[in-house]
Each structure stands twice: as C-alpha cells, then as structure tokens.
Amino acid sequence: MKQSSPFVFTTGVLGYPILFVLLIWIVFWFEIRFGISFNNFGVRPGEVKGLRGILFSPFIHGDIKHLFNNTIPLFVLSMSLFYFYRKISWPVLIIGLLLTGILTWTIGRPANHIGASGIIYMLAAFLFFKGIFSKYYRLVALSLIVVFLYGGMLWYVTPINPEISWEGHLSGLISGFALALFYRKNTIKSPKYEWEKPEYSEKEDLFMQHFDENGNFIERRFETKEEALQTPKGEDDIQFNRQENDDSEITYRYFYKKSESRKE
C-alpha cells in the first residue's frame, strides 16, 4: 500500500546516522589503540595532496572532546535529513560533503582541517533554509528547532578561536544554503481540504446540506449519498428512511417531576 504521508519512518532514518557516528568513533579508537594519527589526511588548503581530506577529514578528530562535540549534532541533524527529506537525503549529504571540502581547501589557512563540523554546519544550514523556503508548517517548525538547538554555532563561522577551523564551518554554512536554494522547488505541498479545491460545490457537500440559507441547523437523515444530493436545500426538516411506513419505530418521551421532600 502506497504511503500517503511524505514523512515515512524507515530503518535508514536511525540506521545511517548511527553508522556515521560509529565510523568516526571507530577511526578515533583505531588511532588510540595503535598509537597512530590520521591528521595528515585532513584538508590542506593549497596543496594537491590535501585534496584527499575532502573525503577523509570528516572521519578524523583531534581529541575526545572534539569527537564528542560532533557526535550528537551529527546524529540529530542527519536523522532529521533522512526523515524529512528522504528522497534527496543522499544527494544532499554527498554533494554537501564534497562542496564543503572543496570550499575549505580553497579558503582555508595552511593547516590540517579535520572533523565532521563542516558537515554539521552544512546539515544545519540546509535544514534551516530549506524549511523556510518550503513554507510547509512541519518543515518551518523543524527550522525553528534547528535554530533553537544549534543557533549558537553561528558564532564559530568567524575566527574567534585560532584552534577551530572556522573556514570549515563557513564552508559548510555556504554549502547548506546553496543546496537549499538548489532544491527549493522540491517542496512538500500542504494538503488541501475539500472546500479549498476549485471543483468544490457547496450544494453537493453533505455536511453543508444540514444548514439552510440562513445558517440554521436542519436535522436530515440520508440513506444514500444519491438521495442526499437530490435533496434541495432550504426546505423543512426531512428524514429519509428505508421503509416509509415503519410502525416498529418507537419514540420515548421522559417527563421529570420534582419529588416532594420527605418529612420525618
């Protein structure tokens, strides 16, 4: 059966984000366990060899604090991407990763730029701007949630800390905004009710036939839709029964009488 809702929870909504988080933790464990460092595989701007960091740098982190700070945002934002934008989730993720890395390689300082923070900024920017562009109430609500949870990250797209790759953050922000613009036409249309459709006819609406031209409620009983549609509006109360002369119908009327108080 085809799903009518554009938001469908699948195993990938949780599975892929868990896989991403697991990969960055496995790489960090491998470095600690065998005493090696993969920092040289980060993005090195201006060097041809540094281009390999476009693919490898999101999985490399300098220390446990750096890794932990990226774990939760990566999980939450990627899960939101796979749930709310299931059809374009993989193109956004792959193109965003490449575009963020290329921009970092172009504008970054001569150093090793590592970490998944660029991807996090890309996801946050995409989810925010895409929801605003869509004007769909659920996606706009998601945009507000992203601002509430991660709006403070905006400070780190500026060089306030020399140890933080603000160039990677800025590259992710630009990439997410560009992808939101590119996919702005892939929006979810708000559902229309029957009375909002151009072919809607008030005379054919069964609910509206319970009211006269003055807006007064009229009790009507229709056995079939065809009978209801053939009934003109504005008449006195009419009830349709399957049997016109049915004496088996019993009407009960209750009369309540106030009891006299007992005297002891």
Side-chain angles (χ1 to χ4, degrees):
M1 183 176 179
K2 188 177 179 180
Q3 296 284 350
S4 58
S5 174
F7 308 117
V8 180
F9 184 85
T10 62
T11 54
V13 173
L14 282 176
Y16 296 129
I18 291 175
L19 179 61
F20 300 153
V21 171
L22 188 61
L23 282 176
I24 63 177
W25 276 90
I26 289 176
V27 171
F28 185 76
W29 171 85
F30 193 87
E31 289 181 295
I32 299 300
R33 177 64 178 80
F34 296 98
I36 58 178
S37 176
F38 293 138
N39 289 355
N40 291 331
F41 287 86
V43 175
R44 291 190 62 86
E47 298 183 12
V48 177
K49 190 177 181 180
L51 288 172
R52 62 186 180 182
I54 295 175
L55 296 177
F56 298 139
S57 63
F59 303 98
I60 305 170
H61 293 81
D63 51 36
I64 189 66
K65 181 181 178 181
H66 186 201
L67 178 62
F68 182 78
N69 289 338
N70 286 343
T71 296
I72 297 178
L74 178 63
F75 177 78
V76 173
L77 294 173
S78 59
M79 185 174 61
S80 301
L81 176 69
F82 281 100
Y83 180 74
F84 289 98
Y85 301 101
R86 177 170 48 92
K87 293 183 179 180
I88 60 174
S89 56
W90 281 109
V92 167
L93 190 62
I94 295 174
I95 297 174
L97 184 147
L98 296 176
L99 188 57
T100 299
I102 292 172
L103 286 175
T104 304
W105 185 85
T106 304
I107 67 175
R109 291 166 291 172
N112 286 319
H113 297 260
I114 59 175
S117 54
I119 304 301
I120 292 171
Y121 274 77
M122 182 275 296
L123 291 173
F126 175 81
L127 293 174
F128 172 74
F129 289 109
K130 185 67 171 68
I132 298 299
F133 294 155
S134 69
K135 299 180 181 179
Y136 185 68
Y137 69 100
R138 289 189 179 181
L139 301 181
V140 172
L142 176 63
S143 299
L144 298 178
I145 292 174
V146 170
V147 171
F148 177 76
L149 293 178
Y150 304 112
M153 296 193 310
L154 190 61
W155 293 104
Y156 295 97
V157 299
T158 58
I160 60 176
N161 189 337
E163 296 181 359
I164 296 177
S165 175
W166 64 270
E167 300 95 333
H169 298 171
L170 181 60
S171 299
L173 181 66
I174 295 173
S175 301
F177 177 72
L179 287 169
L181 281 177
F182 182 78
Y183 287 106
R184 67 185 183 277
K185 294 184 179 180
N186 296 71
T187 57
I188 300 172
K189 296 181 179 180
S190 300
K192 287 188 176 181
Y193 297 98
E194 291 295 328
W195 59 82
E196 295 178 320
K197 297 180 180 179
E199 64 273 12
Y200 171 74
S201 175
E202 184 177 323
K203 293 183 179 180
E204 297 180 358
D205 192 325
L206 297 181
F207 177 76
M208 294 302 298
Q209 292 184 19
H210 287 278
F211 299 88
D212 61 16
E213 64 276 4
N214 297 321
N216 299 317
F217 179 77
I218 300 175
E219 183 180 359
R220 296 171 181 266
R221 184 184 304 162
F222 304 124
E223 292 295 336
T224 62
K225 182 178 180 181
E226 289 73 16
E227 292 178 351
L229 295 177
Q230 294 174 0
T231 305
K233 294 181 63 178
E235 297 182 357
D236 296 332
D237 295 354
I238 302 175
Q239 294 183 351
F240 293 96
N241 299 305
R242 293 188 181 276
Q243 297 180 359
E244 296 181 357
N245 300 322
D246 188 358
D247 297 334
S248 62
E249 185 176 0
I250 301 176
T251 303
Y252 295 92
R253 292 184 174 88
Y254 297 90
F255 299 91
Y256 296 91
K257 184 177 179 182
K258 186 176 182 182
S259 60
E260 298 179 356
S261 58
R262 295 182 180 181
K263 296 183 180 179
E264 295 182 357

